[in-house]
Amino acid sequence: MHATETLFQTLATAAPQASPPQGPGWAMLIPALPLIGCVLAGLCAAFKVKSKFPAWLSVGCLATSFALTLNLYLQHFSGGNGPVLITTAFEWINLQWGPAEGQQLVANFGFYLDSLTVLWMLFVTGLATLIALYASEYMSHDVGAGYCRFFAAFNLFVFSMACLVMADNLLLLYLGWEGVGLCSYLLIGYFYKKPSAVAAAKKAFIVNRIGDLFLALGIFLTFVHFGSVEYAVIFEKAAPYIASLQAGNLDQIPAVVQLIPLLLMVGAFGKSAQLPLYVWLPDAMEGPTPVSALIHAATMVTAGVFLIARTYPLFLLSDHALPIVGWVGALTALFAATIGMAQFDIKRIMAYSTVSQLGYMFAGLAVLTPSGGAAHVFTHAFFKAMLFLSCGAVMHGFAGQLDLRKLSGVGKLPGWKVVNIAMLVGCLNLAGFPLITAGYWSKDLILGEAFANPHTAAIGWILLLTAGLTAYYTFRVYFRVFMGPVSFEPGDENHDAAHAAHGHDAAHAAAHSHTTHDASPPLAEAQVEAEHPHAHTPHPAHQDFHPHAPGWAINTVLATLAIASFAAIFAVHSFGSSPSWLESMVGGSSAHYTGVAAYQAAHESHATPAATPSTADATPGNDPVPTTPESGLTTPDTHADAHAHGNHQLFFGFDAHKALMVVSGVVGAIGIFFAWLLHLRGRTTAAYSDADKLIPALGPIPKLAQHKWYIDEIYDALIRRPLRGLAHAFHLIDQFLVDGLVNIFGALPRWVGATVRPSQSGEMHGYALGMAGGIAVLLVIVLLASN
């Protein structure tokens, strides 16, 4: 088989035809049901319902949506080999301004159903259902109008995410993209009377607008060049460029085609919180914990990963897009991990962990293992949701307390066993504990492929270092909060009431206030005890505080997620020579790619590459690519080779994929060991551990990391303040120059009128005087003229 045909089949195994077959009409109910839930929650608010009825309506709608998604998978994509289906709800946009090609804009409210769509919607709807059930208990303190408002925005968020994932064109994707941005603003700012929550919501909205602008430009440019925004048409018209890539004729790929993925890439960075647009996501912790789990686990933040996976063929056509994605992802992973190590708010630590793990996902896409990136999205969805919800259970039970220096031994308290186990399972997954966790296997897919390619080995080393740091700060939280001596202080929600009851004045209250989000950095134990001998002694008002354990809803959700986290192992790891379930799902979509050698040769030497190593994956609707010596194809005979897609780079003399299975596990275990050594062994109080004694020896690094490397302050100095000053300057120009000129021209007639007005007083003697004056002037003129 000719090399051009080879790459076309390996790149576009699921490449849609111009007119894909119609999908089932009932698939429209998958996004429609969350929208119905939103309307019903709004009606509950209108009728002033003061019960948990909006929550049960939401759970019912979302669970039905999940059931329909599961049915769609079972009927059409159970092996990841189903053909692409298009289901059109209604004709949305159809504009034509000429007969020529590219002079018509068609964007229906239709859904592009392939295995990648179904994969994403399975965990989006599934997790949304569980989180809604969790929120029914967590938000019960606000039953009434606020409760209805929360679930209305919650359902609208899921509807928007469904539009984003299921869209059959870029315009509908953009509608969902903006929809999740709007709903995140509403949910993060749910406590609208709290200034920090309002500021966080505005920050998320504004920072995302930067990325959204570039996404819009990418969509415009796609339409200008390809004449369509429909995936089916775009992929079909991109096929000749794919063939040019295979043949090494990069000069035949126009610059505009290579620019499109760069614009889409910036949009993905904004939504998925990558450098430099990551700053909104940690502040999103100001929203209720179910919001944090919904946004940070499997939905909004993975939208950028989905965008790149969906348009993966376009990214392969650019010289710079995937390398930039890889380096930005790796550096984001490392940078966020260094910040997470130094934070004390346990929800904020998980937020920086999300930023870091998203960097892993982007790196996976960039090192040409889309299945690895998607696998980490899948496993991360379950264990990160579990971690956030476990932290939320602690916050809910301890009156808003989130400072790990004021909580200890929570796992030993009665009623907290389920939360303790869920937190442990989540931490093991996030740390990549060897063999028994899904997080380990999904990370290994990315690390193995990074080291299997000599050109991405540097990215692999960064990700490997990040894996060690992740294991350390993850178990730092677990050892500090759930293990050790039993000690706790309630948070702000109990603090204000206690001080009011005991008549403390404002100064005393300020001196003893517990701010969970901006906790001061710890000093060495001896120094703190010398300066503040009772700084961390529970206040007498707190001695009567008793934390309340979570109820059945929270415990049920956490137990379900813990089981799902273990079950995910069988989805992302193959225990035989055949591809895993997740690899099969990605293999049946536009994200499928196995032509690593051809891609590298085309982009590095700009010469016609040799035979393209490839798996013999089946093309949906077509026969498998034949494996014969004449075709130049080889079929991997091991599962590791299937991951490597033909790369055989060695890692210190060993096969990279097999070696990294050991190395990554060892690195994770080392991180856990140091967390135990510094934060659990010998610790007798909640406030201090052996790690505090190392802070003076590290110089300014701990303070810099605790203050998030002052990135917000740098942005404030370099961007926000100059723009605000420029805005004030333009305001003055508008006020005094533009408006001033307009006011002058407006005042001139008024001045003339005011000057002339006294002459028209209506008094006879005034008119007579005027006539006499006029005659006198005429006489003077005549006399002057006669001389």
Side-chain angles (χ1 to χ4, degrees):
M1 184 180 293
H2 191 273
T4 298
E5 298 173 355
T6 301
L7 187 63
F8 176 76
Q9 291 188 346
T10 54
L11 273 179
T13 52
Q17 304 302 314
S19 299
Q22 288 295 313
W26 53 262
M28 293 183 290
L29 290 173
I30 296 174
L33 283 166
L35 184 61
I36 293 171
C38 173
V39 173
L40 293 176
L43 291 175
C44 289
F47 287 100
K48 299 181 179 179
V49 174
K50 295 184 178 180
S51 68
K52 292 186 178 182
F53 188 58
W56 305 132
L57 286 174
S58 299
V59 172
C61 289
L62 294 171
T64 306
S65 182
F66 170 72
L68 290 173
T69 305
L70 183 60
N71 186 53
L72 180 65
Y73 162 74
L74 293 174
Q75 286 193 14
H76 298 281
F77 304 100
S78 58
N81 297 320
V84 174
L85 304 174
I86 298 292
T87 297
T88 302
F90 57 87
E91 188 177 282
W92 184 29
I93 298 174
N94 193 338
L95 302 174
Q96 186 168 358
W97 54 93
E101 185 179 4
Q103 293 184 329
Q104 184 179 14
L105 175 61
V106 177
N108 293 323
F109 205 94
F111 307 118
Y112 186 93
L113 306 178
D114 70 347
S115 53
L116 187 69
T117 302
V118 173
L119 171 65
W120 237 265
M121 288 306 300
L122 279 172
F123 59 76
V124 167
T125 55
L127 279 174
T129 303
L130 292 174
I131 296 171
L133 177 60
Y134 178 100
S136 67
E137 177 182 332
Y138 188 89
M139 301 299 296
S140 59
H141 66 281
D142 209 13
V143 166
Y147 201 72
C148 297
R149 175 167 57 89
F150 174 85
F151 281 100
F154 190 100
N155 282 281
L156 186 60
F157 184 100
V158 180
F159 166 73
S160 300
M161 191 68 193
C163 289
L164 189 158
V165 172
M166 299 179 67
D168 78 336
N169 61 82
L170 288 170
L171 279 185
L172 184 55
L173 175 141
Y174 193 75
L175 175 69
W177 193 276
E178 293 299 305
V180 295
L182 169 64
C183 294
S184 68
Y185 171 81
L186 298 175
L187 291 168
I188 294 170
Y190 174 78
F191 300 113
Y192 59 88
K193 294 183 179 180
K194 185 179 178 183
S196 58
V198 174
K202 290 192 293 185
K203 186 175 184 180
F205 193 79
I206 293 171
V207 173
N208 272 275
R209 296 289 72 72
I210 300 172
D212 296 354
L213 171 62
F214 284 87
L215 174 60
L217 293 175
I219 294 173
F220 296 157
L221 202 58
T222 300
F223 177 75
V224 168
H225 183 77
F226 292 104
S228 177
V229 293
E230 296 178 294
Y231 295 138
V233 178
I234 294 170
F235 294 153
E236 183 184 24
K237 292 186 176 182
Y241 300 132
I242 294 172
S244 297
L245 171 66
Q246 166 64 13
N249 299 324
L250 289 183
D251 55 339
Q252 296 180 9
I253 302 178
V256 65
V257 175
Q258 300 197 40
L259 179 59
I260 289 171
L262 293 174
L263 295 172
L264 300 179
M265 173 190 70
V266 180
F269 288 167
K271 194 66 72 180
S272 294
Q274 298 295 285
L275 288 171
L277 302 177
Y278 75 95
V279 291
W280 68 269
L281 193 146
D283 288 352
M285 294 298 95
E286 294 291 345
T289 295
V291 174
S292 302
L294 185 69
I295 291 176
H296 293 68
T299 53
M300 177 175 168
V301 293
T302 65
V305 181
F306 176 82
L307 174 65
I308 296 179
R310 172 60 73 208
T311 59
Y312 204 66
L314 299 182
F315 276 80
L316 291 167
L317 299 176
S318 173
D319 265 334
H320 306 292
L322 285 180
I324 293 175
V325 168
W327 278 103
V328 168
L331 293 176
T332 301
L334 178 60
F335 184 77
T338 61
I339 299 177
M341 291 175 63
Q343 302 303 302
F344 304 102
D345 183 314
I346 57 177
K347 273 183 66 178
R348 195 169 289 267
I349 293 171
M350 295 306 160
Y352 280 106
S353 168
T354 299
V355 176
S356 182
Q357 296 307 300
L358 286 167
Y360 254 92
M361 299 168 199
F362 276 92
L365 294 172
V367 299
L368 303 177
T369 173
S371 58
H376 203 52
V377 170
F378 187 79
T379 60
H380 180 267
F382 294 106
F383 68 73
K384 184 52 66 69
M386 182 164 49
L387 287 170
F388 271 116
L389 297 180
S390 297
C391 292
V394 172
M395 182 183 182
H396 191 249
F398 288 86
Q401 185 61 268
L402 288 171
D403 192 337
L404 59 78
R405 298 167 300 179
K406 298 172 183 177
L407 294 168
S408 181
V410 172
K412 301 177 181 178
L413 297 175
W416 291 89
K417 301 302 181 185
V418 173
V419 179
N420 180 39
I421 294 172
M423 189 73 181
L424 176 59
V425 172
C427 288
L428 288 171
N429 274 275
L430 181 55
F433 192 81
L435 301 178
I436 63 171
T437 62
Y440 163 78
W441 292 110
S442 60
K443 278 186 180 181
D444 173 67
L445 291 174
I446 299 172
L447 287 169
E449 189 63 30
F451 281 102
N453 181 353
H455 303 282
T456 57
I459 291 176
W461 283 111
I462 295 174
L463 295 178
L464 189 60
L465 173 61
T466 302
L469 300 181
T470 301
Y472 169 78
Y473 69 69
T474 301
F475 272 87
R476 170 177 174 256
V477 173
Y478 180 75
F479 290 148
R480 292 292 293 260
V481 176
F482 287 87
M483 299 187 72
V486 176
S487 176
F488 54 83
E489 296 181 33
D492 292 338
E493 296 170 12
N494 184 73
H495 176 75
D496 295 336
H499 276 287
H502 287 79
H504 289 280
D505 57 29
H508 189 69
H512 290 78
S513 64
H514 304 308
T515 305
T516 62
H517 290 288
D518 295 307
S520 58
L523 303 174
E525 181 175 355
Q527 179 182 353
V528 173
E529 290 183 350
E531 295 179 2
H532 306 284
H534 303 291
H536 292 277
T537 301
H539 194 276
H542 298 155
Q543 292 180 353
D544 296 330
F545 173 78
H546 299 287
H548 60 89
W552 72 268
I554 291 179
N555 284 334
T556 299
V557 171
L558 291 177
T560 303
L561 288 172
I563 295 171
S565 294
F566 283 114
I569 296 175
F570 300 95
V572 301
H573 178 62
S574 174
F575 295 92
S577 59
S578 59
S580 67
W581 174 80
L582 195 136
E583 285 179 306
S584 298
M585 294 296 286
V586 175
S589 73
S590 60
H592 177 59
Y593 178 66
T594 57
V596 174
Y599 173 84
Q600 293 167 355
H603 281 280
E604 291 161 15
S605 64
H606 290 199
T608 302
T612 307
S614 172
T615 59
D617 292 311
T619 302
N622 299 301
D623 294 330
V625 179
T627 305
T628 63
E630 291 80 7
S631 69
L633 299 177
T634 58
T635 302
D637 55 3
T638 65
H639 183 58
D641 289 336
H643 288 318
H645 304 314
N647 281 329
H648 301 287
Q649 178 72 11
L650 298 180
F651 182 83
F652 293 102
F654 298 94
D655 177 85
H657 279 276
K658 295 179 180 178
L660 263 297
M661 291 175 63
V662 177
V663 173
S664 63
V666 171
V667 169
I670 291 173
I672 296 173
F673 170 75
F674 276 104
W676 170 83
L677 187 67
L678 297 175
H679 296 281
L680 181 60
R681 190 193 65 163
R683 184 164 58 86
T684 58
T685 66
Y688 305 110
S689 67
D690 289 342
D692 298 314
K693 301 175 182 178
L694 300 178
I695 291 177
L698 297 176
I701 294 177
K703 182 178 180 181
L704 291 172
Q706 288 160 11
H707 289 85
K708 300 164 283 187
W709 301 103
Y710 293 96
I711 297 298
D712 283 318
E713 289 79 3
I714 292 172
Y715 283 1
D716 185 66
L718 297 182
I719 300 175
R720 179 177 170 271
R721 290 183 183 275
L723 287 178
R724 192 168 186 176
L726 189 62
H728 281 298
F730 281 125
H731 170 69
L732 295 175
I733 292 173
D734 183 69
Q735 182 178 7
F736 293 106
L737 182 59
V738 179
D739 288 349
L741 290 173
V742 173
N743 292 337
I744 287 174
F745 283 106
L748 187 60
R750 290 201 304 270
W751 177 79
V752 173
T755 304
V756 176
R757 188 181 300 113
S759 65
Q760 305 298 317
S761 63
E763 298 177 355
M764 293 300 294
H765 61 273
Y767 293 146
L769 182 61
M771 292 174 63
I775 294 172
V777 171
L778 289 174
L779 289 174
V780 171
I781 294 173
V782 170
L783 290 174
L784 293 174
S786 62
N787 292 333

